[in-house]
Amino acid sequence: MRWHTQGESANRHIRTALALRQGECQHGPVEISDVAALRSAAGRVLLDSIGRYDSAATMRIAETLAAAGNPAELVAAALTQARLRERARGRFGADADRMLFTPDGLEQATRATVAAHRAARLTGAGHRRVADLCCGIGGDTIALARAGCFVEAFELDPVTAAVAAANADELGLTGRARVTCADATAVDRTGFDAVFLDPSRRAGGRRIFDPGAYLPPWPFVAETLAGAACVKVAPGIPHGLVPAGVEAEWVSDHGEVKEAALWSGAFRTTSRRATLLPSGATLTDGAPGRPPVRAPGRWLYEPDGAVIRAHLVAEVAEAMGGALLDPRIAYLTTEAPVPTPFATAYEVTDVLPFALKPLRALLKAQDVGIVTVKKRGSPIEPETLRRQLRLSGSAHAVVIVTRVAGKPTVVLCRPPQPAA
Ligand SMILES: C[S@@+](CC[C@H](N)C(=O)[O-])C[C@H]1O[C@@H](n2cnc3c(N)ncnc32)[C@H](O)[C@@H]1O
C-alpha cells in the first residue's frame, strides 16, 4: 500500500481532476491502496455521492468533495472510478455501479452478455470446477460463478487481481470465486474440470493484434488447448492458427463481432461456429456446395460479421436457397424474402452501375435525404460518398456499393424493418 503525503495527494488529486476535465487522459492511475480505500465506508459514500460521471463538472465536484474534508487521494481515486464505471455500463449494465476497474482491465474485460454465453456453454457440458487463468478484473470469473461454477481465478497483476477479488465479493460471489495473484503458467491444473484462458491482448495501453505477442505467449495457449479448455482470442485470428481438432466460435452481440473462442477436448462440437447474441442463434459448418452466383434479385442479405469471420456464408446461402452477387463478396440474394437470423435482409428497389451523377439524380427523384452507405468489394469511403451525394430530401435509403459480375454496382434498398 502506498498512501501519499498530503502534498503529494493534493497534487495527484488536482492533476487527475484537471486531466479528466480537459480530456488529456482518460483515467487517473489505479493503485492497490485505492481498492481498499474505495471499499471503506468513507469510500463508498464518496463514490455514491459522485453518482453519474459528468466530465464537464469534474473540477467543481473535486473541489466540493475536497472542501467537505474528503482526503484528496480518495477524491482522485473515486473520480477515476466514477469515470471508469461510466464507460463500463455498456459492458456490465447495472453491475458496473458496484464494480471497480482499472483502465486496461476494463478495455480487456469480456462484456457480460458474451461471458454469460460462454459460461452457459461450459456449465452445459457439466464442468463445475473451472480455472480462470488470466482473470483480469473478473468479467468472465463473475459470469462463470453466476452460471454455477466454482472458479479459481488467477491474475498476474496485483492491482488487477485485487480489483477482481473486490468485484467477486461485491457481487456476492465469494463462495464461488476465489482470486489469487499468480502467474497462470505456473498454476497446477489438477483437480479442475475445465480451464478458461483469456490471454492479454494489450501492452503499454495498446492493442496487440498478433497472436504471437499474446501474454501468456501462444505456445502456452496451444498447450492449454491440448486438454478440455476454452481460450478467448481476437476475432481476427487467422483460421490457420486454430490447432487441429479445436472448434473456433465467433461471437457477435447486436451485430458487432466481439471475439472468437477456441474450444478443445470435450467442449469441441464442430470445427467452426458463429453465434449471434442476444438471440443465441448459432450456425455450424456443414459441407455446402459452392453457392450459385447471380445478379441481385428482389432481396439482398448482409450476413452477420460472425458468420463472415467463421467462413459460413455458404452455409447460410444453402439454408436460404440464396445466391452470391459475386463469388468473393459476402452479399447474398433471393427473389422471395427468406427469414434468417444470420443476415440482415434489405428489399432492393434499384440496381445501377456505380456512377455518382445518376445515383444522385435517382436518390433526389426519390426525395432521399438520409442514406446508409454500405460497401463490400469497393474502395469507396462511405462517408465521402455520403458527402458527395449532397442530398436534402426526407426519405431514407440504403446504398450498397459492391461488384456484380466484376462491375462496380450500386444496389439501392429500403431500410430494414426493425424486428417485431
Ligand atoms: C484479457 S485480460 C482478461 C479479461 C477477463 N477475462 C475479463 O473478462 O475481465 C488478460 C489478463 O491476463 C493477465 N495476464 C497476463 N499474463 C498473465 C500470466 N502469465 N498469468 C496470469 N495473468 C496474466 C493480464 O494482466 C490481464 O489482466
Side-chain angles (χ1 to χ4, degrees):
M1 278 222 185
R2 191 167 84 91
W3 278 86
H4 299 253
T5 64
Q6 190 55 39
E8 282 176 321
S9 301
N11 283 343
R12 177 187 166 202
H13 141 63
I14 289 175
R15 273 200 315 273
T16 302
L18 267 173
L20 287 169
R21 189 178 69 152
Q22 292 165 357
E24 282 170 5
C25 79
Q26 296 199 322
H27 315 278
V30 178
E31 294 178 14
I32 202 155
S33 53
D34 295 342
V35 178
L38 288 166
R39 300 190 78 218
S40 68
R44 287 171 190 274
V45 170
L46 190 60
L47 252 176
D48 285 350
S49 73
I50 297 173
R52 292 278 159 143
Y53 183 81
D54 173 2
S55 61
T58 310
M59 204 61 191
R60 181 178 47 73
I61 295 169
E63 280 163 6
T64 310
L65 294 173
N70 291 293
E73 187 77 14
L74 192 55
V75 171
L79 279 168
T80 297
Q81 285 303 323
R83 169 122 186 184
L84 290 169
R85 283 181 171 182
E86 188 69 37
R87 291 170 59 107
R89 270 178 213 117
R91 253 175 231 211
F92 290 100
D95 282 344
D97 290 322
R98 298 168 64 196
M99 294 170 69
L100 298 178
F101 301 95
T102 65
D104 260 8
L106 174 56
E107 284 300 322
Q108 298 195 87
T110 309
R111 62 177 43 237
T113 46
V114 178
H117 160 70
R118 183 185 357 270
R121 249 192 100 166
L122 272 154
T123 46
H127 291 83
R128 295 286 164 191
R129 270 184 59 75
V130 179
D132 181 355
L133 288 187
C134 289
C135 74
I137 56 92
D140 284 285
T141 311
I142 291 164
L144 287 163
R146 281 184 171 156
C149 299
F150 291 95
V151 193
E152 289 277 358
F154 302 92
E155 167 58 49
L156 193 58
D157 175 59
V159 180
T160 312
V163 166
N167 288 339
D169 187 39
E170 198 61 36
L171 296 172
L173 299 167
T174 314
R176 293 198 159 269
R178 189 170 60 178
V179 180
T180 305
C181 182
D183 184 343
T185 60
V187 168
D188 177 3
R189 300 183 203 168
T190 46
F192 291 110
D193 296 324
V195 170
F196 170 63
L197 170 64
D198 183 1
S200 209
R201 294 177 308 283
R202 282 183 91 78
R206 297 194 166 194
R207 269 195 201 185
I208 295 171
F209 292 100
D210 173 13
Y214 285 0
L215 285 171
W218 189 257
F220 180 73
V221 170
E223 180 206 313
T224 303
L225 287 168
C230 173
V231 177
K232 175 177 157 184
V233 292
I237 184 165
H239 283 227
L241 208 59
V242 178
V246 168
E247 169 187 337
E249 177 187 30
W250 279 264
V251 182
S252 67
D253 194 9
H254 291 94
E256 235 180 85
V257 185
K258 295 297 178 192
E259 65 171 45
L262 307 180
W263 298 89
S264 62
F267 295 123
R268 181 191 190 269
T269 53
T270 181
S271 62
R272 282 172 289 124
R273 176 186 289 278
T275 300
L276 281 54
L277 300 176
S279 72
T282 194
L283 180 70
T284 56
D285 59 304
R290 277 175 176 272
V293 178
R294 60 173 177 260
R298 183 78 190 275
W299 291 86
L300 183 145
Y301 303 82
E302 182 182 31
D304 185 277
V307 169
I308 296 173
R309 294 268 194 180
H311 296 179
L312 294 173
V313 175
E315 276 78 353
V316 177
E318 186 174 79
M320 298 172 65
L324 288 167
L325 297 188
D326 179 282
R328 276 174 307 192
I329 297 179
Y331 284 131
L332 296 169
T333 188
T334 61
E335 206 45 60
V338 183
T340 169
F342 300 112
T344 306
Y346 298 93
E347 189 177 357
V348 176
T349 58
D350 303 89
V351 180
L352 59 159
F354 180 76
L356 191 60
K357 271 192 175 172
L359 174 60
R360 189 158 178 262
L362 182 61
L363 291 167
K364 275 185 91 173
Q366 294 177 359
D367 189 35
V368 170
I370 309 156
V371 282
T372 304
V373 180
K374 295 184 163 284
K375 65 139 188 173
R376 275 189 197 286
S378 162
I380 66 124
E381 286 298 331
E383 199 39 58
T384 309
L385 179 61
R386 205 191 335 267
R387 253 186 287 114
Q388 288 172 335
L389 285 169
R390 287 183 284 115
L391 297 168
S392 56
S394 58
H396 183 186
V398 178
V399 174
I400 296 176
V401 189
T402 187
R403 272 196 329 256
V404 174
K407 298 211 172 78
T409 303
V410 176
V411 185
L412 281 194
C413 302
R414 295 187 209 287
Q417 296 303 306

